[in-house]
Amino acid sequence: MPKHLILCDCLGSQIIDRDTVGKATGLACSRVHTALCTREMDRAAAAITDGDAIIACAQEAARFAELAADLGRPAPDIVDIRDRAGWSEDGDTAPKMAALVAEALIPPAPVKSLDVISEGTCLILGKPDVALAAAERLADALAVTVLLDTEVEPPASRAFEVVLGRLRGATGTLGAFSVRIDALRQMQPGGRGDFAFTEARDGAVTRCDVILDLTGASPLFPAPHKRDGYIRADPGDPNAVAATVFEAAQHVGTFEKPLHLAFEETLCAHSRAGQTGCTRCLDICPTGAIRPDGDHVAIDPLVCAGCGVCSALCPSGAITYDAPPVAHLLTRIRVLAETYRAAGGAAPRLLVHDTPHGAEMISLAARYGRGLPADVIPLDVPALAGFGHAEMLAALALGFVAVDILPAPRTELDPIRSERALAAAMGGGDRLRLLDVSDPEALSDTLYGHRLERAEFDPVLPLGNRRQVARLAARTLLGAAREPIPLPHGAPYGAVLVDTGACTLCLSCASLCPSGALLDNPDTPQLRFREDACLQCGLCATVCPEDAITLVPRFDPSDAALGQTVLNEEEPFACIECGKLFGVRSTVEKIMEKLAGKHPMFAESDSGRLIQMCDDCRVRAQYHGQANPFAAGERPRVRTTDDYLSKRRDH
């Protein structure tokens, strides 16, 4: 059964053009109700009973879900066209409403997850007065152990454990913390009088599911607010301590941990042959979930908080965001742009935000202020820092005239700024902005004061991985420009320059290039390069023994970047015995100049000739020469029975 859209103008506070919305989305639209959540609730009940209803009211989603449960029907789909579109100072919001409804029709991408089990073992850190009081309140819900760094009179209650010691460090996450303690002294519960403690011992290791940190000191983990199961509060704030005690009590049971990232280790350009190349993800990961692991990196899915910044910066596509995949995000952007234009819109702008902070800012701006302009279409994403240059360029190439990013207070701004600068250099120009505003009214003022004209190119459909999407979108935005464009330092696109005077064509760079951008020629001494494949990881420059390689960050939109160019080539040397081509003539001649007749191994003229022979002829010459390393003495005569008997004296 096709879905049908149930509309409501929320007590006449917005204007809804049902015909335009229905035509652009292909949905059957109800008449525009006025109070669907109150006096017209029977109309909502009838629509829910019929099934496949989409109710255009996000504010009362819980009420409609409760109504569906009473009717024994599944909860209806919900779409918000009021806060995000209808409540606006602009007049014609129908194209924007149609775009938001069409986006809501996209099936959600499945999210992979794994189960995290917490049995409720909790370690509390802090001063005795705060930590022991918190332990008393948590003892009924969790198995609590308090770690104190100073000896105190232990409590008589056995509802929780008390140990003394010095915390040396902790690793892990919810359900799998590992804590290292020195000078550990455990309480001995036996005997009369106060409980005593054992002798101190170093190197103790314990495990727990939850850590409640009330020390007020530096956090145990980077980005502590993103570490599941690690809860901390200012010990001087009783309200904060009470809130964290309540929060800790909820950390018992089985939880679903989304698998935010997909990783293909064969594409990773971190290292080759013990030489370090790309470290972008290692340098930027706020939680420390990524670590080196041989030629590639390894990602701890339990520690990963899903910020997505590593996937935005990964030059090879080894790390991709998977909750949801990038392809699903691009589909949402495409549907928004296409539907907006189909409904009569001309020059849409995209406002990218996260779900909690950005959605609340938009809601407050709509309820108490001017709302969003009619041409600004909001797009909520689960990982704002993962919205990189490829997604920015793709949005522009799909028909948006501008992309504005609204960060939350805790959003990592540095990677967004660097990705915005990269996208701007690759064709985005001044149509990409980072809106550093925290006031809903300021958000509206910023958006209303930035109107742009429609782009002059036809929208394209970006396909492929993020590198391919970025290249196609950039070529579209740059138009007829086909000259290489300089990019900021650290960009994942660029060229390799080779000092031909220093290069010996040893081809170490080609043998270790992780992306195949540097290639050799099996038939002649030649170093070739394909710019489109270069990741600018720096491995080639690192391994070059002559320091002959320089990286040049740039973007070449022409087709020349897709082909192979020769960076250096020389004439091969011909074997003086068989004429077989091998090595590089200049290298062989240089070796002859330095070694022949000078080095003890090549002091004789015949020995010097070995340098000018191919591997087969060299072996033959050494075998038949006087200084044959394989030669041995005269072969001893085989001894027979007669030889043994001739030495006996008993016959």
Side-chain angles (χ1 to χ4, degrees):
M1 180 182 297
K3 293 181 178 292
H4 57 285
L5 183 63
I6 313 302
L7 300 171
C8 179
D9 63 12
C10 197
L11 300 180
S13 60
Q14 60 177 329
I15 299 174
I16 301 177
D17 186 347
R18 61 184 295 270
D19 294 332
T20 299
V21 173
K23 182 179 179 181
T25 61
L27 293 175
C29 297
S30 72
R31 72 173 180 85
V32 180
H33 301 85
T34 298
L36 195 63
C37 60
T38 53
R39 63 176 179 268
E40 293 177 301
M41 182 72 80
D42 58 325
R43 301 298 180 90
I48 293 173
T49 302
D50 292 341
D52 291 311
I54 303 176
I55 298 181
C57 177
Q59 174 181 288
E60 301 299 324
R63 176 172 295 191
F64 294 125
E66 183 180 349
L67 176 61
D70 293 340
L71 297 172
R73 306 291 293 176
D77 293 333
I78 300 294
V79 59
D80 173 25
I81 62 173
R82 186 196 67 182
D83 293 358
R84 298 190 294 168
W87 283 353
S88 172
E89 189 178 81
D90 285 347
D92 185 13
T93 59
K96 181 178 178 181
M97 289 184 178
L100 296 174
V101 171
E103 184 214 1
L105 297 175
I106 301 173
V111 177
K112 303 172 186 175
S113 64
L114 52 81
D115 289 342
V116 175
I117 300 175
S118 172
E119 297 178 346
T121 57
C122 176
L123 178 66
I124 299 181
L125 311 174
K127 297 299 181 182
D129 54 340
V130 178
L132 294 177
E136 290 179 359
R137 284 184 281 177
L138 275 175
D140 292 337
L142 304 177
V144 177
T145 299
V146 180
L147 174 62
L148 303 176
D149 57 4
T150 57
E151 185 170 355
V152 296
E153 179 180 335
S157 171
R158 296 294 297 137
F160 55 89
E161 296 289 337
V162 177
V163 298
L164 305 178
R166 185 171 61 255
L167 183 68
R168 296 302 303 271
T171 58
T173 183
L174 174 66
F177 283 109
S178 178
V179 181
R180 303 183 305 278
I181 304 173
D182 280 350
L184 175 66
R185 300 177 63 192
Q186 294 176 277
M187 191 169 64
Q188 294 178 318
R192 298 182 65 184
D194 292 337
F195 296 132
F197 291 91
T198 62
E199 293 297 323
R201 62 186 180 91
D202 292 338
V205 177
T206 186
R207 298 186 180 277
C208 61
D209 298 314
V210 181
I211 297 179
L212 178 56
D213 186 353
L214 302 177
T215 61
S218 299
L220 301 180
F221 304 97
H225 60 284
K226 296 185 177 184
R227 183 67 59 124
D228 294 336
Y230 178 63
I231 309 167
R232 60 194 302 262
D234 180 2
D237 185 348
N239 292 329
V241 173
T244 55
V245 168
F246 177 80
E247 181 182 353
Q250 315 307 312
H251 284 63
V252 183
T254 301
F255 303 88
E256 284 192 356
K257 171 71 174 180
L259 298 176
H260 300 285
L261 302 175
F263 179 57
E264 179 54 60
E265 63 182 34
T266 58
L267 299 178
C268 182
H270 168 61
S271 173
R272 294 294 185 275
Q275 300 296 319
T276 301
C278 176
T279 60
R280 289 176 172 89
C281 61
L282 294 168
D283 297 336
I284 202 64
C285 180
T287 63
I290 306 177
R291 58 178 175 80
D293 187 21
D295 285 350
H296 49 81
V297 298
I299 303 174
D300 188 339
L302 295 177
V303 176
C304 174
C307 69
V309 63
C310 56
S311 65
L313 298 184
C314 180
S316 66
I319 301 177
T320 55
Y321 200 79
D322 202 38
V326 175
H328 185 268
L329 176 61
L330 295 181
T331 298
R332 293 174 60 198
I333 298 174
R334 175 181 59 81
V335 169
L336 287 172
E338 290 179 351
T339 308
Y340 183 86
R341 291 193 299 269
R349 293 180 283 162
L350 189 66
L351 176 63
V352 186
H353 63 90
D354 64 351
T355 301
H357 174 76
E360 183 179 4
M361 286 274 286
I362 293 171
S363 178
L364 292 174
R367 180 171 289 276
Y368 300 107
R370 305 165 69 187
L372 299 182
D375 62 339
V376 173
I377 302 178
L379 174 71
D380 63 288
V381 295
L384 196 59
F387 196 86
H389 72 279
E391 290 80 5
M392 298 178 195
L393 293 172
L396 295 176
L398 283 166
F400 285 96
V401 297
V403 175
D404 293 326
I405 300 176
L406 177 61
R410 287 185 170 180
T411 300
E412 293 82 5
L413 295 181
D414 288 343
I416 297 179
R417 290 192 182 101
S418 64
E419 288 295 283
R420 190 199 68 81
L422 176 58
M426 294 177 67
D430 59 356
R431 290 178 290 173
L432 304 168
R433 295 191 303 171
L434 180 62
L435 306 182
D436 191 8
V437 296
S438 57
D439 180 68
E441 184 177 351
L443 172 63
S444 296
D445 293 343
T446 301
L447 294 174
Y448 276 98
H450 187 69
R451 305 278 186 171
L452 294 173
E453 298 297 327
R454 182 176 179 177
E456 298 297 330
F457 58 85
D458 294 328
V460 299
L461 180 62
L463 297 174
N465 59 34
R466 295 182 76 255
R467 282 184 73 87
Q468 294 166 337
V469 166
R471 178 172 182 80
L472 177 59
R475 283 169 57 94
T476 302
L477 297 174
L478 292 171
R482 288 296 180 264
E483 293 298 321
I485 299 171
L487 295 181
H489 175 73
Y493 311 94
V496 168
L497 299 184
V498 174
D499 182 355
T500 56
C503 176
T504 61
L505 285 172
C506 68
L507 301 178
S508 297
C509 54
S511 64
L512 295 183
C513 180
S515 64
L518 289 169
L519 306 161
D520 64 349
N521 188 333
D523 299 323
T524 185
Q526 190 179 78
L527 178 62
R528 296 179 292 177
F529 176 65
R530 178 180 170 182
E531 184 167 336
D532 178 58
C534 181
L535 308 177
Q536 296 283 289
C537 65
L539 264 173
C540 53
T542 299
V543 302
C544 180
E546 310 298 337
D547 292 330
I549 293 180
T550 304
L551 301 179
V552 181
R554 71 180 194 181
F555 176 71
D556 187 353
S558 69
D559 292 338
L562 304 177
Q564 296 180 4
T565 58
V566 177
L567 298 181
N568 191 19
E569 62 179 338
E570 289 193 33
E571 182 182 352
F573 190 84
C575 176
I576 60 175
E577 291 291 330
C578 67
K580 176 183 176 181
L581 300 178
F582 75 98
V584 182
R585 172 177 288 276
S586 63
T587 302
V588 174
E589 291 176 348
K590 187 180 296 185
I591 294 174
M592 283 289 296
E593 178 184 349
K594 291 186 176 181
L595 298 182
K598 302 176 182 178
H599 193 276
M601 291 185 61
F602 304 98
E604 301 178 4
S605 58
D606 290 342
S607 299
R609 289 172 52 85
L610 294 174
I611 302 174
Q612 300 172 294
M613 298 181 188
C614 66
D615 47 1
D616 294 332
C617 294
R618 190 178 303 117
V619 171
R620 284 194 292 268
Q622 287 182 315
Y623 184 79
H624 295 292
Q626 294 181 353
N628 178 14
F630 308 107
E634 183 180 353
R635 191 172 188 178
R637 186 175 63 84
V638 177
R639 294 176 64 84
T640 64
T641 302
D642 293 338
D643 295 323
Y644 286 101
L645 293 176
S646 66
K647 296 182 180 295
R648 294 178 61 177
R649 299 182 180 181
D650 57 348
H651 66 283

